[in-house]
Amino acid sequence: MKSKEILSEIEQRRAYRALAEKPIEQDVLDRLLSAAVLAPSCMNKQPWRFLLVTEDAEREKVADSLTRGNYWAKKAPAYVLVITSLELDCKLPRNREYALFDTGMAVMNLLLQATKEGLYAHPMAGFDADKLAESMGIFDEFILVTVIALGWPGSTESLGEQHLTMESAPRDRKPIESVVFKNKWDNDKAKKVQ
Ligand SMILES: Cc1cc2nc3c(=O)[nH]c(=O)nc-3n(C[C@H](O)[C@H](O)[C@H](O)COP(=O)(O)O)c2cc1C
């Protein structure tokens, strides 16, 4: 997908896996987090919390919590653990609990800033949240939303066949007509998974 009208960082950002082990400068990491906290939030509650992990012993704890399919992320020189709690944000009728939504927007800011810096930033749900929370001393009241693996672009050598293919595969998205409704809502269409 290429379009002059879409922001270049939005177009360029991908969930790449070929990470280099080379460390990431602290000022770059600080900029990612500064971008994240500029996100909007319900009543400016700013429910996001981030745990930046760069030290070897702590990185090992994160690496040990990853699912098997996320083997590639063990190389990451830095991780950002994205944490929130429903108690930190607005709770409105019809299930409108905004902590995850607002935290997601902060994550997107971080991903786009990373893209601008030339970094790969790959959010993951594939980790053992109980194990990771326990090893990092995160209380149960917090939601460990995602772990973002960060790294400069590296070699594809250690990627499995499927991930190697995905690294250069075109974007995979549902047809826009199946997710965008104009003036008229269609409940049945909206319910379709694919
Ligand atoms: C909440 C979330 C969890 C994800 N978990 C994983 C994961 O555990 N492992 C992985 O390889 N990719 C993971 N991804 C990456 C998605 O698979 C990827 O964003 C999606 O396929 C779209 O590709 P793109 O980001 O390159 O456009 C995750 C993405 C998000 C937003």
Side-chain angles (χ1 to χ4, degrees):
M1 190 172 70
K2 270 244 164 340
S3 142
K4 270 197 208 142
E5 292 80 20
I6 303 283
L7 284 181
S8 60
E9 287 76 17
I10 294 179
E11 275 197 340
Q12 284 161 19
R13 184 214 59 80
R14 293 296 307 268
Y16 290 117
R17 295 182 176 85
L19 307 179
E21 280 165 295
K22 184 180 139 197
I24 302 166
E25 299 78 352
Q26 189 60 49
D27 65 313
V28 176
L29 294 169
D30 288 341
R31 271 201 300 279
L32 302 188
L33 295 161
S34 297
V37 303
L38 289 177
S41 58
C42 185
M43 292 177 71
N44 205 15
K45 297 261 192 186
Q46 305 171 60
W48 43 74
R49 303 289 183 266
F50 301 103
L51 174 57
L52 174 65
V53 176
T54 53
E55 289 174 4
D56 286 349
E58 304 308 302
R59 280 199 307 125
E60 210 165 298
K61 292 179 189 170
V62 179
D64 283 348
S65 77
L66 298 175
T67 54
R68 211 170 340 151
N70 285 334
Y71 64 90
W72 52 270
K74 295 193 177 194
K75 278 188 165 184
Y79 301 101
V80 176
L81 276 53
V82 180
I83 298 157
T84 190
S85 156
L86 299 185
E87 308 314 314
L88 292 170
D89 209 333
C90 304
K91 292 181 175 197
L92 299 176
R94 278 185 78 108
N95 297 322
R96 288 176 300 147
E97 300 198 10
Y98 283 97
L100 290 165
F101 178 80
D102 292 345
T103 300
M105 288 200 287
V107 168
M108 195 64 205
N109 275 9
L110 188 156
L111 302 186
L112 293 178
Q113 182 67 30
T115 305
K116 174 140 181 105
E117 306 275 354
L119 266 177
Y120 290 169
H122 190 139
M124 297 175 289
F127 58 92
D128 182 330
D130 287 333
K131 187 173 174 179
L132 185 55
E134 160 110 46
S135 66
M136 303 307 264
I138 300 167
F139 287 173
D140 287 348
E141 66 202 76
F142 291 105
I143 304 171
L144 242 166
V145 186
T146 187
V147 173
I148 305 173
L150 296 170
W152 299 110
S155 161
T156 53
E157 251 169 45
S158 55
L159 293 183
E161 203 179 317
Q162 195 195 0
H163 286 158
L164 184 61
T165 310
M166 287 168 85
E167 208 67 357
S168 53
R171 272 254 166 72
D172 179 18
R173 289 297 184 269
K174 293 177 183 177
I176 197 145
E177 311 74 44
S178 69
V179 296
V180 175
F181 300 83
K182 292 183 175 162
N183 298 308
K184 196 169 169 21
W185 180 250
D186 182 333
N187 288 296
D188 290 330
K189 194 172 156 192
K191 275 195 276 186
K192 282 199 184 114
V193 177
Q194 197 52 282

